[in-house]
Amino acid sequence: MPGYAIAQLYDVDLNAEIVEYLERIDSTLAPFGGKFIVHGGAQQVIEGPASAVAIVIEFPDYQAVQDWHQSAAYQAILPLRTENCSSIAVLAQDCGKDHVATDVLKEAAS
């Protein structure tokens, strides 16, 4: 099942460091099979900070997204982003094609 890196970025200072981050991130994704699913384009914030931008990066599996996040290449550029915006970032596993909302209740009970 795919794994995902999901972020909400807000108060982004679009400066030279953010530009460098954007120029370098694709090369950190490639070895782990990562690809942007949501990044830029039309977005409508309906809750939360008005300036938030959603980003979703898909990986072949949850282990790959964890390995990417911990990789030396990504860790080297991460401060370029975190020091120039506020964010919430999550690594998540795909829930599967047959998932229904109440499946989380079963997981909580176990």
Side-chain angles (χ1 to χ4, degrees):
M1 273 191 276
Y4 300 92
I6 304 163
Q8 290 282 339
L9 307 182
Y10 50 100
D11 300 329
V12 178
D13 182 3
L14 191 57
N15 59 35
E17 289 184 338
I18 289 290
V19 170
E20 180 180 351
Y21 176 86
L22 292 170
E23 292 172 342
R24 294 174 60 187
I25 190 170
D26 290 321
S27 66
T28 72
L29 298 172
F32 302 96
K35 63 179 183 176
F36 284 97
I37 302 299
V38 175
H39 191 228
Q43 297 187 13
Q44 179 182 4
V45 177
I46 56 173
E47 294 179 24
S51 61
V53 175
I55 298 167
V56 180
I57 305 171
E58 182 181 59
F59 291 82
D61 55 49
Y62 188 55
Q63 187 63 54
V65 70
Q66 292 175 313
D67 292 345
W68 163 76
H69 187 265
Q70 294 303 316
S71 71
Y74 185 66
Q75 289 297 309
I77 67 168
L78 182 57
L80 298 172
R81 180 179 59 77
T82 59
E83 293 175 6
N84 291 288
C85 71
S86 299
S87 61
I88 299 168
V90 176
L91 304 181
Q93 183 177 37
D94 189 294
C95 59
K97 292 180 181 181
D98 298 327
H99 178 85
V100 294
T102 54
D103 287 348
V104 297
L105 299 175
K106 297 171 197 168
E107 293 172 14
S110 56

